[in-house]
Amino acid sequence: MALNRVSQLCHDITRLWLQLKMMTDDILQREDGPLCAAEIGSELQKQFAILPGGRGINGNPVIFFPEFPTFNELEEDEIQNVLSYLTSVPSVAASGVGFILVIDRRLDRWAAVRATLLRIAGSFPGNLHLVLVLRPTTLLQRTLSDFLFKYNKDEFKMKVVMLSSVTELHAYIDPGQLTTELGGTQEYCHDSWISHRTAIEAFALMVKTTAQTLQAFGTELAETELPNDGEATTNLLHTHSLKKDKMKEDLQVALSQGGRLLECINEPLQTDPEYSMTHDELENLATVQRLLGQLDETETAFDDFWERHRTKLEQCLQLRHFETHFREVRAQLDVTLERLSGFSEVSVSPVHAEHVLRELSGHEERACDVLDYAISLANEGDRLIENSHYAEDSIRPKCSELRGACEEISSTLRSKKSFLLRAMELHHALDKASRWCEEGIFLLASQPVDRCQSQDGAEAALQELERYLDTAPLHTVTDRSAICCQYEAVLNTQLRDQIDKVFQKQSSVQEMFEKRRISLKKLAAKQTRPVQPVAPRPEVKSPQSSPNQQRKERRNSADNVICKKVESPIHNGGTRHASLSEEEENLAVLRRHVMNELLETERAYVEELLCVLEGYAAEMDNPAMVHLMPSTLLSKKDVLFGNMSEIYQFHKRTFLKELEAYTDCPELVGRCFLERMKDLQIYEAYCQNKPRSESLWRQCSDCAFFQECQKKLEHKLGLDSYLLKPVQRITKYQLLLKELLKYSKGCDGCDDLQEALSSILGILKAVNDSMHLIAITGYEGNLSELGRLLMQGSFSVWTEHKKGHAKVKDLARFKPMQRHLFLHEKALLFCKRREENGEGYEKAPSYSFKHSLSMSAVGITENAKGDNKKFEIWCNSREEVFIVQAATPEIKTAWVNEIRKVLTQQLKACRDASQQKSSDSVSPSPTSNTSSSLSPFRSSNQKNQKKQEEKKVEPNTASDTNSSSSPKHKGWNKASLSVDASEENDGYSSGEDPMNSDPDDEVGKKLAPGKYTVVADCEKAGPQELSVKSGDVVQLIKEGEEGQWFVKNLRSSKEGWVAEANLLSLISESKSSQSLSSSDDSVSGNLSTSSSCSETYTSYSDIKP
């Protein structure tokens, strides 16, 4: 309804603006030139033609041409402009009747009269009704005019009447409509007339401009889309308010100017009430009054429209604030409900129950603040609805949702509190009965034997027993079934065991009392004298040493032992301070709370894992349930549950017990995590299997087997929620460690907590990285052989290949490739990220393997192409260069540092191996020592000498090299560790590809028939040639002429010829293929250095093509 009213107001304002525009357009007509008084003021001031405002008998406007001797000297444009303007002043209706021109030429000659008439006839723009000419009064000129007018009358092409005097003029025009110059009574001031016209036109222009501005602003307001956030809404409201204030100022200025103009027009009436206005003055007055009226109406409509618009924006702002607060409080409610749902109300003793109740009260206090906030926000939403907010349909469900969440939390709190209170009631009843039994046993033990030998003593002891037995109904529990039925909701295994023990204890005590009572009755009935007992008198315990006191002493002594055990590692043999400061006490309480949450959630986690393993996993092996399982689920237990059983055994047998040992010293629990950090890595295997598990679950989630298991377990959530528990648990540890670390600053275990937190985060990173690794497809080798994954991320990559002496960019010259890089300890993989699809874990991206570089054969250049986000990775003496661009300079720096670290480690390993070989070989000569220095420049003689020395050493190391090489790289030697200067390189280059290291070795590169894998794309250059793409497996069939090989693409089954030179750079050996090198002893590697070592780094380990 509100929007409809705003729309109607918008239509009304548009209508008023159109009326204003039409009125101002009538005043400001612009068809054939400048028609404003201000623009032709100089022509009007000459006063060769005026519009005094008089009317003819039929209402024809009168234009008066007074005596103007130089009329014929006027420019044609001046006459045209003045006449056009004067004919535009009267109303359209008056102009339509036709104008009467009065030309006063009484003092002029006939020739001038004739010229004037001709000029007027040729330039008058309006509807001409009649021309009245006061002819010359001199005898000669009057005679000539009478005579010549008869002959020239047809020449003028308009109705012309020659008048001899003003008296004859009065026959055509009433004297009241003529000025005093023409014998009339009308007073006319030309300067005042020009001033009035200028003011009226300026006012009309201002009104028109204001109307256009208002129209544009109104359109902007009407078309404004409401923002989606509070800040943008506030800015929009402020901007529109400023524009509205400016519009109001313009309206006020226009109204003020119109009022002054109206006063100016009415000024003659103020001085002379009998003053009679001319028709033009009356039209001016009516025009100004209409404009002012329209402005007032437009201002009123605009104010109403603006008020509606402002209200809408304010309501939008209220809605955005409400939505923001709703999201905040909803998140808090979810966190509160999650904490309450995970809160365990199970207790094992009255003290423990009181402790749990205190913790629940703390949760309740925190929840009350959130609930109050939520209720107040819901009430605020109700107020918005009561105030006719336009978004009522959006606010009402949120208010209902808030109240529903509050009710759920309140209900959960009441339920758990009621549960705890009932459990405490049962604990107190059992404890009371247990104390009664212990005190009864103490009573039996404290009765002296000698006193019971007499009749009076026996009777006194019997009465004492009877009195104590009379208190049994007040302290003991009588009906076990009634107790179990009464407290059935809170019973657990521990409580049932306690009930059994108490009833057993009560039965034993009552049996003891019954036996003692029978004995005492016999003694009381005997009339014998007392005898001295022969048996030694049992030691009588002090009355102060009651069973309760003994229990407390035993408990205190045990607590002292525990405290001593705990305090010893904390203070190195010292003891805790007896009194802590208030802040330390608060931190200790917070640590205990976090530790309690850790232990409770750990126990609940273990119970949930056991429930899943027994309720689901074990049931998959149950023959009675096999008929409910679909075929896709059979024998898939390991896929569905992964290593959950291993995780459960670790937590149940080891981790939970070790965590419980730190209950009283939570600040030291970091040691437990550090000791079990390797065991926690079992989560990596579980997370890697999670996509397979989730895929299998989605296929079988609706089967009857899972529904039956869930029904038996009485679970509200499905199995998929419990399969997610291990993933949630490993991420929960780092949150709890952060909380403990926050409250353990300055404690002895703070460093262990920090180290444990870092280790847990490292495990999470390893899990995350492993999830990416398993998504790699197309890699034929074993990823585990590449070493540990160090980093992974997405980059833009350009490639360059050096062919001959020219460098050619690969494929797209300017467009980069989007690649996902995986940095391992031994290799760098280039993969292409594929589109994400599926649901859950299957929505994770996959990576198609494209290329790999051995870290033993690469170098890096930190800064490339003048871009601080780019760096270069190259190999084979820059035969192949990869220009890598990171998203930010920080990411680039992190990668460069990590690659540098890998290369530095390889350099160290290379040096250690070199030293080991040097110690095992013959001592080098002084000449060889000099040639092997790391000088960046050496002569070719030194290089040749060095190569000769390497050839001497190489046979000794060949056997070691071949024995240590993997079968997949059969046929390659281990490079000898020489140091050579590279004259083309701008960085370190170790472990270069042997085929590119020395031109003399080109002879050794031979192709043999067999199967190979293509590592780069190649388009055919002729009709008989073959196109191949990266990843294709090809078979070399036979060698032809001119260095051509006949090749078959095993993927596309196409055959063709490929140049041998291209094959050497396109193919690599597949798993079953032969070696690319025909000789094992013709390959050697180079280790080169460069003076640009501050920017480039490379590895110095063994060459592994």
Side-chain angles (χ1 to χ4, degrees):
M1 181 65 70
L3 291 177
N4 291 335
R5 295 186 62 185
V6 172
S7 178
Q8 184 61 40
L9 283 171
C10 184
H11 288 307
D12 293 342
I13 291 176
T14 303
R15 176 180 54 81
L16 293 172
W17 288 332
L18 291 175
Q19 292 177 2
L20 280 173
K21 186 175 183 300
M22 291 174 62
M23 292 175 62
T24 52
D25 286 344
D26 289 341
I27 298 172
L28 301 172
Q29 301 180 29
R30 289 178 172 269
E31 296 179 357
D32 300 321
L35 294 178
C36 290
E39 297 179 3
I40 60 171
S42 59
E43 288 90 339
L44 291 175
Q45 287 292 345
K46 293 181 179 180
Q47 205 171 342
F48 58 83
I50 61 175
L51 185 69
R55 293 289 188 270
I57 297 175
N58 296 326
N60 306 89
V62 178
I63 296 178
F64 177 43
F65 288 82
E67 288 285 352
F68 197 82
T70 59
F71 183 83
N72 294 328
E73 299 177 3
L74 294 174
E75 297 290 339
E76 190 65 31
D77 290 342
E78 292 180 337
I79 297 175
Q80 183 69 38
N81 290 339
V82 171
L83 291 180
S84 297
Y85 178 74
L86 293 180
T87 54
S88 68
V89 171
S91 64
V92 177
S95 300
V97 178
F99 288 88
I100 296 177
L101 303 185
V102 178
I103 303 174
D104 185 5
R105 291 297 181 265
R106 287 175 290 179
L107 302 178
D108 215 335
R109 293 176 294 110
W110 166 250
V113 173
R114 178 176 175 274
T116 298
L117 291 174
L118 290 175
R119 296 194 71 176
I120 291 174
S123 59
F124 192 78
N127 182 14
L128 188 57
H129 176 68
L130 180 63
V131 178
L132 301 175
V133 180
L134 291 174
R135 62 185 178 181
T137 55
T138 60
L139 181 60
L140 177 61
Q141 294 300 323
R142 184 171 57 185
T143 303
L144 287 174
S145 61
D146 290 340
F147 176 75
L148 296 176
F149 175 69
K150 295 178 182 180
Y151 292 99
N152 300 327
K153 181 167 56 174
D154 296 336
E155 185 182 1
F156 302 135
K157 297 180 182 179
M158 56 186 177
K159 186 178 179 180
V160 180
V161 177
M162 301 297 292
L163 303 176
S164 300
S165 63
V166 293
T167 304
E168 296 179 5
L169 178 61
H170 293 166
Y172 293 93
I173 301 175
D174 186 84
Q177 300 297 322
L178 295 174
T179 62
T180 55
E181 298 178 13
L182 300 176
T185 60
Q186 181 181 353
E187 295 181 359
Y188 174 76
C189 178
H190 191 61
D191 292 336
S192 298
W193 183 88
I194 293 177
S195 177
H196 283 182
R197 290 303 306 173
T198 303
I200 291 172
E201 291 168 357
F203 175 61
L205 181 62
M206 175 181 290
V207 170
K208 182 176 182 179
T209 304
T210 303
Q212 292 173 347
T213 307
L214 283 174
Q215 183 180 11
F217 183 51
T219 303
E220 178 184 353
L221 295 185
E223 295 177 354
T224 297
E225 294 184 2
L226 299 179
N228 293 325
D229 60 279
E231 183 179 0
T233 306
T234 303
N235 295 335
L236 182 63
L237 181 59
H238 178 68
T239 303
H240 283 183
S241 298
L242 293 177
K243 290 184 178 180
K244 172 255 180 184
D245 294 339
K246 182 65 170 60
M247 293 296 99
K248 289 289 290 184
E249 289 179 5
D250 293 343
L251 275 173
Q252 292 300 324
V253 170
L255 289 171
S256 176
Q257 183 172 344
R260 289 194 299 272
L261 181 58
L262 196 61
E263 291 177 358
C264 185
I265 294 175
N266 288 325
E267 184 178 358
L269 290 176
Q270 299 295 330
T271 57
D272 184 9
E274 297 181 358
Y275 176 78
S276 177
M277 289 187 175
T278 64
H279 288 83
D280 289 346
E281 289 176 336
L282 291 174
E283 287 183 359
N284 292 340
L285 180 63
T287 300
V288 174
Q289 288 175 342
R290 282 200 312 273
L291 288 174
L292 289 174
Q294 291 289 345
L295 278 178
D296 287 333
E297 188 177 354
T298 302
E299 182 182 17
T300 302
F302 176 75
D303 288 342
D304 196 4
F305 175 74
W306 165 254
E307 189 62 27
R308 299 288 181 183
H309 180 73
R310 183 185 60 80
T311 302
K312 186 177 179 181
L313 282 181
E314 289 179 349
Q315 288 183 350
C316 177
L317 183 60
Q318 293 170 351
L319 177 63
R320 298 301 174 244
H321 288 322
F322 177 79
E323 290 174 343
T324 302
H325 296 157
F326 172 79
R327 288 191 292 270
E328 293 174 356
V329 73
R330 188 66 183 126
Q332 295 177 12
L333 289 174
D334 291 341
V335 171
T336 302
L337 186 59
E338 183 181 357
R339 288 179 178 176
L340 289 177
S341 300
F343 182 81
S344 175
E345 62 272 24
V346 178
S347 56
V348 296
S349 67
V351 177
H352 185 217
E354 292 176 358
H355 173 72
V356 175
L357 183 60
R358 285 195 299 271
E359 287 193 347
L360 182 62
S361 299
H363 284 293
E364 185 177 12
E365 291 177 1
R366 291 189 293 271
C368 285
D369 296 335
V370 180
L371 294 178
D372 292 342
Y373 184 22
I375 294 299
S376 64
L377 185 60
N379 294 334
E380 180 183 345
D382 292 338
R383 287 193 296 272
L384 293 178
I385 295 174
E386 291 174 0
N387 293 331
S388 302
H389 197 284
Y390 71 87
E392 176 182 350
D393 295 339
S394 174
I395 297 174
R396 193 182 301 278
K398 290 182 173 62
C399 295
S400 301
E401 184 178 348
L402 288 176
R403 289 192 172 93
C406 292
E407 181 59 31
E408 184 179 1
I409 291 175
S410 301
S411 175
T412 304
L413 281 170
R414 288 194 299 268
S415 174
K416 290 185 178 294
K417 194 169 185 179
S418 174
F419 185 96
L420 275 175
L421 291 175
R422 295 286 291 169
M424 285 182 62
E425 184 180 341
L426 178 59
H427 278 304
H428 284 304
L430 296 176
D431 189 58
K432 187 177 180 181
S434 182
R435 286 199 306 270
W436 184 86
C437 292
E438 291 175 357
E439 291 173 0
I441 295 172
F442 178 76
L443 174 63
L444 292 175
S446 62
Q447 285 184 338
V449 178
D450 54 349
R451 285 176 55 191
C452 296
Q453 299 299 321
S454 65
Q455 184 178 7
D456 295 337
E459 289 181 353
L462 182 61
Q463 292 176 0
E464 187 178 16
L465 292 183
E466 295 289 351
R467 286 194 301 271
Y468 192 80
L469 287 174
D470 291 340
T471 63
L474 301 176
H475 296 86
T476 60
V477 287
T478 55
D479 190 350
R480 187 183 186 283
S481 61
I483 289 293
C484 292
C485 181
Q486 183 180 358
Y487 296 100
E488 181 180 4
V490 299
L491 287 182
N492 53 35
T493 304
Q494 294 176 335
L495 279 176
R496 291 183 186 276
D497 293 341
Q498 290 184 23
I499 291 174
D500 292 340
K501 290 179 182 178
V502 168
F503 272 95
Q504 184 178 359
K505 195 172 186 178
Q506 284 183 167
S507 178
S508 301
V509 170
Q510 288 174 350
E511 184 179 353
M512 293 168 61
F513 266 79
E514 186 63 26
K515 290 181 179 179
R516 177 68 62 89
R517 192 171 66 167
I518 292 173
S519 300
L520 289 176
K521 281 185 178 181
K522 291 180 179 180
L523 290 174
K526 291 181 180 180
Q527 299 297 324
T528 58
R529 59 186 181 87
V531 296
Q532 184 70 24
V534 178
R537 182 176 178 177
E539 180 182 357
V540 180
K541 296 182 181 179
S542 173
Q544 292 84 4
S545 179
S546 65
N548 290 335
Q549 183 73 19
Q550 294 172 8
R551 287 199 309 274
K552 291 181 180 178
E553 291 174 358
R554 287 196 299 270
R555 189 181 302 116
N556 290 336
S557 63
D559 291 344
N560 290 336
V561 173
I562 294 174
C563 290
K564 289 178 181 178
K565 289 173 67 179
V566 172
E567 289 167 1
S568 179
I570 299 176
H571 295 288
N572 298 325
T575 59
R576 289 184 184 268
H577 289 290
S579 61
L580 297 173
S581 65
E582 182 178 354
E583 182 179 0
E584 291 173 336
E585 290 178 356
N586 293 336
L587 291 176
V589 171
L590 293 172
R591 287 196 296 272
R592 286 195 296 271
H593 283 184
V594 177
M595 188 65 190
N596 185 60
E597 182 180 358
L598 173 60
L599 291 174
E600 288 180 354
T601 54
E602 187 71 12
R603 295 187 187 105
Y605 175 59
V606 171
E607 291 175 1
E608 289 170 343
L609 292 182
L610 178 62
C611 186
V612 171
L613 293 173
E614 291 181 350
Y616 287 97
E619 290 297 315
M620 292 183 69
D621 299 328
N622 185 0
M625 300 285 286
V626 173
H627 69 283
L628 299 177
M629 289 191 294
S631 58
T632 55
L633 192 60
L634 296 175
S635 303
K636 294 291 182 64
K637 184 169 70 173
D638 293 339
V639 175
L640 186 61
F641 298 95
N643 62 336
M644 181 182 285
S645 177
E646 181 184 3
I647 294 175
Y648 167 76
Q649 295 297 336
F650 164 68
H651 283 271
K652 176 66 177 178
R653 298 178 179 178
T654 306
F655 199 54
L656 177 58
K657 294 179 180 179
E658 292 181 359
L659 287 177
E660 289 174 341
Y662 291 85
T663 303
D664 297 324
C665 46
E667 63 272 15
L668 300 179
V669 76
R671 301 176 184 177
C672 180
F673 280 91
L674 291 176
E675 291 171 358
R676 294 299 173 185
M677 199 57 64
K678 289 186 178 180
D679 296 322
L680 288 171
Q681 293 177 357
I682 59 178
Y683 280 89
E684 184 172 346
Y686 185 87
C687 293
Q688 288 178 351
N689 180 70
K690 195 68 177 71
R692 300 173 59 208
S693 171
E694 194 168 34
S695 176
L696 180 61
W697 163 255
R698 275 198 300 275
Q699 297 176 31
C700 311
S701 59
D702 296 331
C703 70
F705 171 79
F706 290 126
Q707 296 176 0
E708 182 65 21
C709 292
Q710 184 176 350
K711 183 179 179 180
K712 289 182 179 179
L713 295 172
E714 298 181 354
H715 282 177
K716 295 181 180 180
L717 301 176
L719 174 61
D720 56 335
S721 300
Y722 291 91
L723 292 177
L724 195 60
K725 292 291 182 181
V727 181
Q728 295 172 337
R729 190 59 185 169
I730 191 63
T731 57
K732 179 74 173 178
Y733 286 137
Q734 56 102 4
L735 299 176
L736 294 171
L737 287 173
K738 285 181 180 177
E739 288 293 310
L740 276 176
L741 184 61
K742 182 169 65 174
Y743 303 136
S744 304
K745 300 298 184 183
C747 296
D748 290 348
C750 181
D751 294 338
D752 292 337
L753 285 173
Q754 182 63 59
E755 186 177 353
L757 175 59
S758 301
S759 300
I760 286 290
L761 292 176
I763 290 179
L764 293 177
K765 179 182 179 300
V767 169
N768 181 56
D769 291 341
S770 66
M771 298 298 288
H772 287 274
L773 274 180
I774 63 176
I776 296 178
T777 60
Y779 184 78
E780 296 183 355
N782 189 353
L783 290 173
S784 61
E785 296 177 358
L786 303 181
R788 186 165 55 93
L789 178 63
L790 304 176
M791 299 187 78
Q792 51 90 16
S794 296
F795 298 86
S796 297
V797 179
W798 293 263
T799 62
E800 292 183 357
H801 297 279
K802 186 165 67 174
K803 300 177 181 179
H805 296 285
K807 290 186 178 180
V808 180
K809 285 190 175 180
D810 191 25
L811 297 180
R813 184 174 180 84
F814 302 105
K815 185 177 180 181
M817 298 178 292
Q818 299 303 318
R819 291 291 182 263
H820 201 89
L821 272 60
F822 294 87
L823 176 62
H824 293 262
E825 292 176 320
K826 298 182 180 180
L828 177 64
L829 303 186
F830 290 77
C831 300
K832 183 176 182 180
R833 183 185 178 111
R834 297 300 182 186
E835 292 291 333
E836 300 178 359
N837 48 37
E839 297 178 359
Y841 278 87
E842 286 189 354
K843 195 175 181 181
S846 63
Y847 304 96
S848 177
F849 171 77
K850 294 297 182 183
H851 191 58
S852 68
L853 295 177
S854 173
M855 292 304 296
S856 61
V858 304
I860 62 170
T861 302
E862 288 190 17
N863 298 312
K865 308 297 183 183
D867 190 339
N868 62 351
K869 294 186 291 187
K870 289 182 180 179
F871 62 98
E872 291 183 350
I873 303 175
W874 43 268
C875 61
N876 305 336
S877 297
R878 297 186 68 87
E879 284 286 327
E880 191 172 21
V881 179
F882 295 86
I883 302 172
V884 182
Q885 183 180 34
T888 63
E890 291 75 15
I891 296 177
K892 172 236 179 176
T893 302
W895 275 73
V896 168
N897 291 340
E898 193 65 31
I899 295 174
R900 182 193 304 142
K901 189 185 302 182
V902 174
L903 301 185
T904 303
Q905 292 172 356
Q906 290 183 350
L907 172 61
K908 184 177 182 300
C910 178
R911 287 174 176 170
D912 294 342
S914 177
Q915 292 174 0
Q916 181 66 29
K917 290 181 180 180
S918 299
S919 62
D920 296 338
S921 61
V922 182
S923 300
S925 63
T927 306
S928 65
N929 287 339
T930 305
S931 64
S932 63
S933 65
L934 291 177
S935 173
F937 303 100
R938 289 203 303 268
S939 65
S940 59
N941 293 332
Q942 289 175 320
K943 292 183 182 180
N944 295 333
Q945 182 180 1
K946 182 64 181 178
K947 289 182 179 180
Q948 295 296 329
E949 292 170 359
E950 288 173 355
K951 290 181 179 179
K952 294 177 181 179
V953 178
E954 194 171 359
N956 297 329
T957 62
S959 59
D960 296 335
T961 302
N962 292 332
S963 63
S964 62
S965 301
S966 62
K968 190 165 62 175
H969 301 296
K970 181 179 178 181
W972 292 102
N973 282 358
K974 190 174 184 180
S976 59
L977 299 173
S978 63
V979 181
D980 244 345
S982 173
E983 299 176 359
E984 316 179 44
N985 252 350
D986 61 350
Y988 295 123
S989 171
S990 92
E992 306 240 13
D993 191 340
M995 292 189 297
N996 298 324
S997 60
D998 194 339
D1000 296 333
D1001 292 334
E1002 293 292 328
V1003 181
K1005 294 186 293 187
K1006 296 294 183 182
L1007 290 173
K1011 295 180 181 179
Y1012 298 85
T1013 301
V1014 179
V1015 298
D1017 296 348
C1018 179
E1019 298 294 334
K1020 61 182 181 179
Q1024 296 183 348
E1025 292 190 2
L1026 179 67
S1027 296
V1028 292
K1029 293 186 178 181
S1030 177
D1032 290 347
V1033 178
V1034 297
Q1035 183 174 6
L1036 273 62
I1037 299 176
K1038 63 179 180 178
E1039 184 177 10
E1041 299 178 355
E1042 298 178 355
Q1044 297 282 328
W1045 274 85
F1046 190 76
V1047 179
K1048 180 177 181 181
N1049 190 333
L1050 298 182
R1051 176 175 294 181
S1052 62
S1053 299
K1054 295 182 179 179
E1055 297 177 345
W1057 292 94
V1058 180
E1060 181 179 8
N1062 292 340
L1063 285 174
L1064 290 173
S1065 60
L1066 289 177
I1067 64 177
S1068 65
E1069 197 172 26
S1070 66
K1071 291 183 178 179
S1072 60
S1073 66
Q1074 301 174 356
S1075 173
L1076 292 181
S1077 176
S1078 59
S1079 62
D1080 292 338
D1081 56 353
S1082 62
V1083 181
S1084 64
N1086 295 327
L1087 298 177
S1088 65
T1089 63
S1090 171
S1091 60
S1092 61
C1093 60
S1094 62
E1095 292 187 357
T1096 55
Y1097 304 86
T1098 186
S1099 62
Y1100 286 82
S1101 62
D1102 301 336
I1103 297 178
K1104 296 179 181 180

